[in-house]
Amino acid sequence: IYIYVADVPGGTNPIEKQWEDPADLRATEKETYRIDYEDKAGNSQRLVYAVADTRFYTQWNAGLNMLRTLFVCFCLAVGALLFSKDANELVITPIEKMIAKVNNIAKNPLTAASEEENHQVAIELAKEEGPKRKKQAKHGPKKKKKEEKPFETAILEQTIIKIGGLLAVGFGEAGSEIIANNMRSGGDIDPMIAGKKMLGIFGFCDIRNFTDATEVLQEEVMIFVNEIAETVHSIASHFSGSANKNIGDAFLLVWKFDREDYGMNDDGSFILHDTHAGAQLTDMALISFVITIGRINTAYKLQKYSKLPGLTQRLPNYSVKLGFGLHFGWAIEGAIGSEFKIDASYLSPNVNLASQLEGETKYYGVLLLVSNSLYENLSGEAQKYLRAIDRVSLKGSNKPVELYTIDMDISNLDPESSTDYLRVKNLPRREKKRIKVRARIRRDNLKNAVRRNEFYVHTLMETEIDIIKMRATISEQFTAKHQEAYENYVNGEWAAAKQLFEEALAIKQSSDGPTNAIMKFMHDYNYTSPLEWKGFRSNE
């Protein structure tokens, strides 16, 4: 933009040319060039002086510097995001999941405890409901990815799930409120929590000849009890029941009515809002025990005990048998114990009554006894399968209890084959888990179908194979004759009752425990009802 060439000896006149004023440019926008020389006297003389415009190069360099700065910022941002992603995935998110799981356990221990199983259920449902996907085109076998070990946070997360599961198994449905209340209060153990009054069906079952079995089996008695418990609990669970107490040789099972299904009268008694829904649940409790009776007598894993020399020598013709009692009523659900040991259970005369009903099965020579309060809440279709056998006054009941049973002949059952048993027993652990998940799906589907009146539980009495076999030889003529005799017995006409009971036994052509029990009782009074007879006898 400016150039000056000086006059030198022998040269031309000075040349000076200017395109722009260099003073208008900043120091970074121009560059100066000069050539000096010394004369003979040693004085410095300027020969050439030029100023160049470097704005283009300055701007280009500035742009490049800006891009470099942006690139560095981008790299730092990406690095920060990658670090943050790893921190979120490996630390923060797992910790948040753990906190969420702990909070879920505090809200609803039973639901939170089955989170892992719920995930498997969702997978199985997707397989069942969704169409099967077509296989992709063959491009050679795919290489399996190397299985990565879980991080510590994932292990902790699974541990929390398992602890929740153990809490649910240990406390059961009755203990869910205890777990929730104590966790909400900071985790301090406080059993002094008021219980809740609820309405339900209480089933009690007891292993016969348990003392003898314990003395013979010794340490193996634990396996013996748990194999029976697995059968009893799994069937009850399928029919919407829950296991509560395991008392050595006895089990308490409970079918709870949903709170919206019933109300409370002014006198404290309960009333079912939807009698049909109540009948469906009551039918499920009854069917559960009937199917359990069949399963106990056919399961291959229990047949081995009928062949043990120690047991058969002590108890000839030994086989695993249980007695069952079912009763309908209220109870207080809550925690029992102290900070040293807590049990979650139900307290009520109705629970004790279910236990007494089971005890009475030995006296009447039957496998199942049902109270009149439960009978009255059964569906009409299910009631026709039951037979009234006596009316007694039991301890804890302020009114006489009418006893009912279902006639069953377990000798008609076919034992399970060893092939079927071993096929399931030898399955891989993962496949057994899938079977458990499918069983839960079937349970939930059954419960939902019953709720929507798409399935009627009583129909299983005519479709379940074991029930059909057990009732194949039951005579309707015998049942009708027994009913006629029983009515005479209750009305105090014992002479007529005696004759009719004998006719009923002649029709059956075999012994009948309930008939024998009543005949023995009437025999003690010479078949004449006492003056104080009110249609029932005391059995306290």
Side-chain angles (χ1 to χ4, degrees):
I1 59 173
Y2 174 81
I3 188 169
Y4 168 79
V5 179
D7 182 15
V8 295
T12 60
N13 293 327
I15 300 172
E16 184 177 14
K17 190 171 183 179
Q18 178 175 315
W19 290 271
E20 291 185 35
D21 187 357
D24 294 339
L25 301 178
R26 289 173 290 189
T28 57
E29 296 177 343
K30 59 187 177 180
E31 193 162 341
T32 303
Y33 304 92
R34 64 184 180 182
I35 301 175
D36 297 332
Y37 75 96
E38 291 184 359
D39 57 16
K40 293 180 179 181
N43 297 321
S44 177
Q45 298 292 330
R46 179 166 294 175
L47 180 62
V48 178
Y49 178 79
V51 179
D53 183 0
T54 61
R55 281 179 295 182
F56 173 77
Y57 303 104
T58 302
Q59 291 172 357
W60 180 254
N61 284 332
L64 290 176
N65 287 335
M66 289 176 64
L67 289 175
R68 181 171 58 189
T69 302
L70 289 174
F71 178 73
V72 171
C73 291
F74 174 77
C75 291
L76 290 174
V78 171
L81 287 174
L82 290 174
F83 177 79
S84 175
K85 178 176 178 291
D86 289 341
N88 281 328
E89 288 183 354
L90 303 178
V91 181
I92 297 174
T93 301
I95 290 174
E96 288 176 345
K97 286 182 178 180
M98 287 184 239
I99 294 172
K101 283 177 172 59
V102 172
N103 290 333
N104 285 339
I105 293 174
K107 291 177 183 177
N108 190 338
L110 296 179
T111 301
S114 59
E115 277 196 20
E116 184 181 10
E117 191 175 339
N118 285 338
H119 178 66
Q120 295 295 328
V121 169
I123 293 174
E124 291 294 328
L125 284 173
K127 288 180 180 178
E128 287 184 5
E129 295 176 1
K132 293 182 179 180
R133 296 180 180 178
K134 295 182 178 179
K135 292 183 179 180
Q136 297 179 350
K138 294 181 180 180
H139 297 290
K142 294 183 179 180
K143 293 182 180 179
K144 292 184 178 179
K145 293 183 179 179
K146 186 177 179 181
E147 187 176 350
E148 297 180 356
K149 292 183 179 180
F151 292 101
E152 286 79 358
T153 49
I155 295 172
L156 284 173
E157 188 177 340
Q158 292 300 317
T159 301
I160 290 174
I161 293 174
K162 290 177 181 178
I163 290 173
L166 289 172
L167 285 172
V169 171
F171 281 88
E173 190 171 350
S176 59
E177 194 69 24
I178 302 167
I179 300 171
N181 285 340
N182 279 283
M183 292 191 72
R184 282 196 293 266
S185 63
D188 297 329
I189 299 174
D190 182 16
M192 304 306 171
I193 301 172
K196 288 186 176 181
K197 196 171 185 180
M198 49 76 70
L199 186 66
I201 298 163
F202 305 98
F204 209 87
C205 52
D206 180 82
I207 304 171
R208 302 282 175 81
N209 305 116
F210 184 72
T211 303
D212 296 297
T214 302
E215 293 177 358
V216 173
L217 295 172
Q218 297 294 315
E219 292 87 349
E220 298 296 316
V221 73
M222 291 298 183
I223 298 175
F224 172 70
V225 172
N226 290 340
E227 285 179 337
I228 295 174
E230 183 182 27
T231 300
V232 173
H233 291 171
S234 61
I235 296 174
S237 175
H238 178 71
F239 289 99
S240 299
S242 59
N244 182 251
K245 284 183 182 178
N246 301 319
I247 319 168
D249 62 337
F251 311 102
L252 174 63
L253 300 112
V254 181
W255 285 261
K256 288 176 61 175
F257 288 93
D258 293 336
R259 188 61 188 86
E260 61 270 16
D261 288 342
Y262 61 87
M264 190 175 293
N265 295 321
D266 295 335
D267 60 356
S269 61
F270 288 101
I271 181 172
L272 286 171
H273 296 316
D274 187 347
T275 55
H276 177 72
Q280 287 274 63
L281 183 63
T282 311
D283 287 359
M284 282 202 280
L286 178 66
I287 290 290
S288 171
F289 273 9
V290 174
I291 292 177
T292 300
I293 290 171
R295 184 62 184 159
I296 289 292
N297 287 277
T298 58
Y300 178 81
K301 64 183 178 183
L302 300 178
Q303 293 175 37
K304 62 189 175 192
Y305 297 106
S306 62
K307 300 173 184 177
L308 283 178
L311 279 173
T312 54
Q313 184 177 358
R314 190 163 186 156
L315 300 168
N317 300 318
Y318 175 80
S319 63
V320 179
K321 285 186 174 61
L322 277 72
F324 297 83
L326 267 178
H327 183 59
F328 173 99
W330 61 270
I332 305 300
E333 179 185 66
I336 305 168
S338 67
E339 61 182 9
F340 300 99
K341 178 67 174 75
I342 297 176
D343 289 318
S345 192
Y346 301 87
L347 294 179
S348 169
N350 295 305
V351 178
N352 297 332
L353 198 57
S355 175
Q356 289 185 68
L357 288 172
E358 184 282 318
E360 291 296 313
T361 59
K362 301 170 187 175
Y363 177 79
Y364 290 100
V366 295
L367 298 173
L368 170 66
L369 277 181
V370 170
S371 68
N372 59 292
S373 61
L374 186 127
Y375 175 85
E376 291 163 2
N377 285 282
L378 288 167
S379 65
E381 292 81 0
Q383 287 178 349
K384 68 181 183 180
Y385 296 101
L386 277 74
R387 172 167 63 113
I389 61 170
D390 206 352
R391 190 176 293 174
V392 298
S393 174
L394 295 174
K395 186 178 179 180
S397 177
N398 54 8
K399 295 188 296 184
V401 178
E402 191 156 27
L403 307 179
Y404 293 82
T405 190
I406 292 183
D407 293 313
M408 293 172 284
D409 187 353
I410 58 175
S411 64
N412 295 334
L413 294 170
D414 299 317
E416 179 186 26
S417 68
S418 59
T419 305
D420 293 337
Y421 170 71
L422 294 174
R423 178 177 55 81
V424 176
K425 183 181 179 181
N426 295 329
L427 287 173
R429 185 176 179 181
R430 182 177 295 178
E431 187 61 30
K432 287 181 179 179
K433 188 173 184 179
R434 288 177 182 172
I435 291 174
K436 182 181 177 182
V437 170
R438 293 188 191 109
R440 185 179 172 189
I441 293 173
R442 289 194 298 270
R443 181 195 69 188
D444 293 341
N445 289 342
L446 175 62
K447 185 175 181 179
N448 293 331
V450 168
R451 273 283 180 186
R452 296 191 295 264
N453 293 326
E454 296 173 357
F455 179 78
Y456 295 95
V457 183
H458 68 83
T459 58
L460 291 172
M461 292 294 292
E462 299 293 342
T463 58
E464 190 69 25
I465 299 299
D466 284 348
I467 298 178
I468 294 172
K469 290 179 180 178
M470 288 190 291
R471 289 188 53 81
T473 55
I474 304 303
S475 168
E476 293 183 4
Q477 188 180 359
F478 161 76
T479 304
K481 184 62 70 175
H482 180 276
Q483 178 63 27
E484 186 181 354
Y486 173 73
E487 290 173 359
N488 279 273
Y489 160 73
V490 171
N491 293 330
E493 299 172 1
W494 287 8
K498 174 180 180 295
Q499 182 179 350
L500 290 169
F501 276 130
E502 290 174 345
E503 292 177 10
L505 289 174
I507 294 171
K508 189 175 183 181
Q509 296 182 348
S510 62
S511 179
D512 180 62
T515 302
N516 294 338
I518 291 179
M519 290 285 279
K520 182 179 181 301
F521 174 68
M522 291 192 298
H523 177 268
D524 293 340
Y525 289 89
N526 199 24
Y527 299 102
T528 302
S529 60
L531 295 175
E532 66 275 11
W533 176 253
K534 297 180 181 179
F536 65 92
R537 62 189 180 90
S538 175
N539 206 24
E540 296 184 14

